[in-house]
Amino acid sequence: MPRFQCCGISFDGEQPYVEHRQKIHGEAPQVKYTCCGIKFYTDEGYSEHRENIHSGAKPGVGRRGWLARLFRRS
């Protein structure tokens, strides 16, 4: 699990780290990724989610629509 650090504090996850940046530093981080209804503000947080939940694969990769499956097209 990546550790996020700021102001000499080590945060266990992305969400507490983002909240710290908003509250203490007045930053408004931009959402970089969304997956499974979760917003990710850092590459590390998104990568951790992909590895833990989707076994490292990018969500949606390898999925085909019903029409492609019907006609066996990739």
Side-chain angles (χ1 to χ4, degrees):
M1 177 186 329
R3 298 261 186 227
F4 300 91
Q5 294 195 0
C6 185
C7 302
I9 304 168
S10 181
F11 299 92
D12 287 335
E14 182 185 46
Q15 192 62 34
Y17 171 68
V18 170
E19 290 172 2
H20 164 81
R21 285 178 34 199
Q22 289 174 333
K23 187 176 182 180
I24 304 301
H25 302 289
E27 295 180 11
Q30 299 295 318
V31 175
K32 284 188 166 185
Y33 307 99
T34 59
C35 182
C36 301
I38 304 169
K39 297 176 184 176
F40 297 96
Y41 300 92
T42 63
D43 295 330
E44 294 85 4
Y46 179 64
S47 295
E48 178 185 6
H49 169 78
R50 273 192 7 226
E51 289 173 13
N52 293 336
I53 304 302
H54 302 287
S55 301
K58 290 184 180 180
V61 171
R63 292 186 185 168
R64 299 184 307 169
W66 67 272
L67 218 99
R69 286 193 309 263
L70 179 67
F71 293 106
R72 293 198 169 117
R73 295 181 183 165
S74 16

Tab-separated table of all heavy atoms in Angstrom, residues 17-40:
chain	number	residue	atom	x	y	z
A	17	TYR	N	-4.983	11.769	2.986
A	17	TYR	CA	-3.961	12.647	2.413
A	17	TYR	C	-4.608	13.819	1.671
A	17	TYR	O	-4.221	14.982	1.845
A	17	TYR	CB	-3.071	11.837	1.480
A	17	TYR	CG	-2.101	12.645	0.658
A	17	TYR	CD1	-1.038	13.302	1.256
A	17	TYR	CD2	-2.239	12.731	-0.724
A	17	TYR	CE1	-0.136	14.036	0.504
A	17	TYR	CE2	-1.349	13.453	-1.485
A	17	TYR	CZ	-0.298	14.109	-0.869
A	17	TYR	OH	0.586	14.835	-1.626
A	18	VAL	N	-5.612	13.537	0.849
A	18	VAL	CA	-6.312	14.576	0.095
A	18	VAL	C	-7.039	15.524	1.048
A	18	VAL	O	-7.013	16.743	0.862
A	18	VAL	CB	-7.281	13.945	-0.928
A	18	VAL	CG1	-8.191	14.986	-1.538
A	18	VAL	CG2	-6.509	13.208	-2.003
A	19	GLU	N	-7.666	14.973	2.074
A	19	GLU	CA	-8.358	15.821	3.057
A	19	GLU	C	-7.372	16.749	3.761
A	19	GLU	O	-7.678	17.919	4.003
A	19	GLU	CB	-9.102	14.962	4.067
A	19	GLU	CG	-10.309	14.261	3.470
A	19	GLU	CD	-10.949	13.253	4.408
A	19	GLU	OE1	-10.493	13.112	5.565
A	19	GLU	OE2	-11.909	12.592	3.971
A	20	HIS	N	-6.183	16.242	4.094
A	20	HIS	CA	-5.146	17.068	4.717
A	20	HIS	C	-4.749	18.210	3.784
A	20	HIS	O	-4.655	19.363	4.218
A	20	HIS	CB	-3.916	16.212	5.053
A	20	HIS	CG	-2.685	17.017	5.340
A	20	HIS	ND1	-2.446	17.595	6.566
A	20	HIS	CD2	-1.626	17.341	4.544
A	20	HIS	CE1	-1.294	18.244	6.522
A	20	HIS	NE2	-0.779	18.105	5.304
A	21	ARG	N	-4.524	17.900	2.514
A	21	ARG	CA	-4.126	18.927	1.556
A	21	ARG	C	-5.195	19.994	1.407
A	21	ARG	O	-4.886	21.180	1.305
A	21	ARG	CB	-3.818	18.297	0.201
A	21	ARG	CG	-2.485	17.584	0.196
A	21	ARG	CD	-2.146	16.901	-1.097
A	21	ARG	NE	-2.611	17.566	-2.286
A	21	ARG	CZ	-2.743	16.964	-3.467
A	21	ARG	NH1	-2.442	15.693	-3.598
A	21	ARG	NH2	-3.169	17.629	-4.513
A	22	GLN	N	-6.466	19.572	1.436
A	22	GLN	CA	-7.550	20.540	1.304
A	22	GLN	C	-7.660	21.417	2.547
A	22	GLN	O	-7.786	22.633	2.442
A	22	GLN	CB	-8.872	19.817	1.066
A	22	GLN	CG	-8.970	19.190	-0.304
A	22	GLN	CD	-10.231	18.357	-0.472
A	22	GLN	OE1	-10.775	17.831	0.495
A	22	GLN	NE2	-10.690	18.217	-1.700
A	23	LYS	N	-7.607	20.781	3.706
A	23	LYS	CA	-7.828	21.501	4.963
A	23	LYS	C	-6.643	22.384	5.347
A	23	LYS	O	-6.811	23.550	5.693
A	23	LYS	CB	-8.097	20.483	6.075
A	23	LYS	CG	-8.495	21.088	7.388
A	23	LYS	CD	-8.842	19.998	8.385
A	23	LYS	CE	-9.288	20.571	9.704
A	23	LYS	NZ	-9.612	19.519	10.668
A	24	ILE	N	-5.435	21.852	5.297
A	24	ILE	CA	-4.257	22.576	5.768
A	24	ILE	C	-3.664	23.494	4.702
A	24	ILE	O	-3.284	24.622	4.989
A	24	ILE	CB	-3.175	21.586	6.271
A	24	ILE	CG1	-3.739	20.674	7.371
A	24	ILE	CG2	-1.936	22.317	6.741
A	24	ILE	CD1	-4.267	21.405	8.597
A	25	HIS	N	-3.579	23.015	3.476
A	25	HIS	CA	-2.905	23.768	2.423
A	25	HIS	C	-3.867	24.518	1.501
A	25	HIS	O	-3.418	25.251	0.623
A	25	HIS	CB	-2.012	22.830	1.593
A	25	HIS	CG	-0.988	22.121	2.412
A	25	HIS	ND1	0.097	22.756	2.970
A	25	HIS	CD2	-0.903	20.829	2.801
A	25	HIS	CE1	0.820	21.879	3.659
A	25	HIS	NE2	0.230	20.703	3.566
A	26	GLY	N	-5.160	24.297	1.677
A	26	GLY	CA	-6.153	25.003	0.873
A	26	GLY	C	-6.154	24.602	-0.599
A	26	GLY	O	-6.631	25.345	-1.437
A	27	GLU	N	-5.629	23.436	-0.875
A	27	GLU	CA	-5.598	22.970	-2.266
A	27	GLU	C	-6.932	22.341	-2.647
A	27	GLU	O	-7.634	21.806	-1.809
A	27	GLU	CB	-4.496	21.927	-2.455
A	27	GLU	CG	-3.105	22.470	-2.265
A	27	GLU	CD	-2.046	21.401	-2.453
A	27	GLU	OE1	-2.374	20.293	-2.929
A	27	GLU	OE2	-0.888	21.679	-2.119
A	28	ALA	N	-7.230	22.429	-3.916
A	28	ALA	CA	-8.416	21.760	-4.455
A	28	ALA	C	-7.933	20.779	-5.517
A	28	ALA	O	-7.880	21.112	-6.701
A	28	ALA	CB	-9.381	22.769	-5.050
A	29	PRO	N	-7.526	19.567	-5.112
A	29	PRO	CA	-6.994	18.610	-6.082
A	29	PRO	C	-8.042	18.200	-7.105
A	29	PRO	O	-9.232	18.135	-6.811
A	29	PRO	CB	-6.561	17.425	-5.224
A	29	PRO	CG	-7.277	17.579	-3.946
A	29	PRO	CD	-7.598	19.025	-3.777
A	30	GLN	N	-7.571	17.957	-8.315
A	30	GLN	CA	-8.449	17.551	-9.401
A	30	GLN	C	-8.570	16.031	-9.425
A	30	GLN	O	-7.607	15.319	-9.173
A	30	GLN	CB	-7.878	18.032	-10.736
A	30	GLN	CG	-7.742	19.534	-10.834
A	30	GLN	CD	-9.088	20.230	-10.803
A	30	GLN	OE1	-10.038	19.772	-11.429
A	30	GLN	NE2	-9.184	21.316	-10.061
A	31	VAL	N	-9.740	15.556	-9.753
A	31	VAL	CA	-9.966	14.113	-9.893
A	31	VAL	C	-9.253	13.654	-11.165
A	31	VAL	O	-9.481	14.184	-12.246
A	31	VAL	CB	-11.473	13.792	-9.984
A	31	VAL	CG1	-11.694	12.325	-10.250
A	31	VAL	CG2	-12.179	14.229	-8.719
A	32	LYS	N	-8.345	12.673	-11.021
A	32	LYS	CA	-7.612	12.149	-12.170
A	32	LYS	C	-8.302	10.941	-12.773
A	32	LYS	O	-8.301	10.749	-13.979
A	32	LYS	CB	-6.194	11.745	-11.757
A	32	LYS	CG	-5.248	12.887	-11.569
A	32	LYS	CD	-3.850	12.352	-11.361
A	32	LYS	CE	-2.828	13.429	-11.510
A	32	LYS	NZ	-1.464	12.906	-11.431
A	33	TYR	N	-8.842	10.080	-11.904
A	33	TYR	CA	-9.463	8.835	-12.360
A	33	TYR	C	-10.735	8.577	-11.564
A	33	TYR	O	-10.850	9.002	-10.421
A	33	TYR	CB	-8.527	7.635	-12.137
A	33	TYR	CG	-7.157	7.789	-12.721
A	33	TYR	CD1	-6.082	8.174	-11.937
A	33	TYR	CD2	-6.931	7.539	-14.069
A	33	TYR	CE1	-4.817	8.316	-12.475
A	33	TYR	CE2	-5.671	7.675	-14.619
A	33	TYR	CZ	-4.620	8.063	-13.819
A	33	TYR	OH	-3.371	8.197	-14.350
A	34	THR	N	-11.653	7.847	-12.160
A	34	THR	CA	-12.805	7.327	-11.447
A	34	THR	C	-12.962	5.865	-11.833
A	34	THR	O	-12.722	5.482	-12.975
A	34	THR	CB	-14.111	8.086	-11.781
A	34	THR	OG1	-14.342	7.996	-13.171
A	34	THR	CG2	-14.048	9.537	-11.342
A	35	CYS	N	-13.339	5.066	-10.865
A	35	CYS	CA	-13.538	3.644	-11.108
A	35	CYS	C	-14.428	3.114	-9.995
A	35	CYS	O	-14.240	3.478	-8.836
A	35	CYS	CB	-12.189	2.920	-11.121
A	35	CYS	SG	-12.336	1.165	-11.477
A	36	CYS	N	-15.372	2.290	-10.328
A	36	CYS	CA	-16.268	1.676	-9.342
A	36	CYS	C	-16.959	2.728	-8.477
A	36	CYS	O	-17.243	2.496	-7.310
A	36	CYS	CB	-15.503	0.692	-8.455
A	36	CYS	SG	-14.696	-0.643	-9.346
A	37	GLY	N	-17.183	3.900	-9.026
A	37	GLY	CA	-17.845	4.966	-8.284
A	37	GLY	C	-16.937	5.685	-7.286
A	37	GLY	O	-17.412	6.477	-6.487
A	38	ILE	N	-15.638	5.434	-7.341
A	38	ILE	CA	-14.676	6.055	-6.429
A	38	ILE	C	-13.854	7.068	-7.217
A	38	ILE	O	-13.438	6.804	-8.343
A	38	ILE	CB	-13.734	4.996	-5.821
A	38	ILE	CG1	-14.542	3.906	-5.127
A	38	ILE	CG2	-12.748	5.640	-4.855
A	38	ILE	CD1	-13.711	2.694	-4.742
A	39	LYS	N	-13.598	8.224	-6.616
A	39	LYS	CA	-12.768	9.246	-7.237
A	39	LYS	C	-11.337	9.094	-6.737
A	39	LYS	O	-11.107	8.924	-5.553
A	39	LYS	CB	-13.277	10.638	-6.885
A	39	LYS	CG	-14.657	10.916	-7.401
A	39	LYS	CD	-15.150	12.259	-6.940
A	39	LYS	CE	-16.581	12.486	-7.386
A	39	LYS	NZ	-17.117	13.736	-6.870
A	40	PHE	N	-10.379	9.166	-7.665
A	40	PHE	CA	-8.964	9.070	-7.322
A	40	PHE	C	-8.265	10.353	-7.741
A	40	PHE	O	-8.448	10.823	-8.859
A	40	PHE	CB	-8.319	7.855	-8.005
A	40	PHE	CG	-8.914	6.554	-7.557
A	40	PHE	CD1	-9.911	5.947	-8.288
A	40	PHE	CD2	-8.490	5.950	-6.387
A	40	PHE	CE1	-10.485	4.759	-7.871
A	40	PHE	CE2	-9.058	4.764	-5.960
A	40	PHE	CZ	-10.047	4.169	-6.702
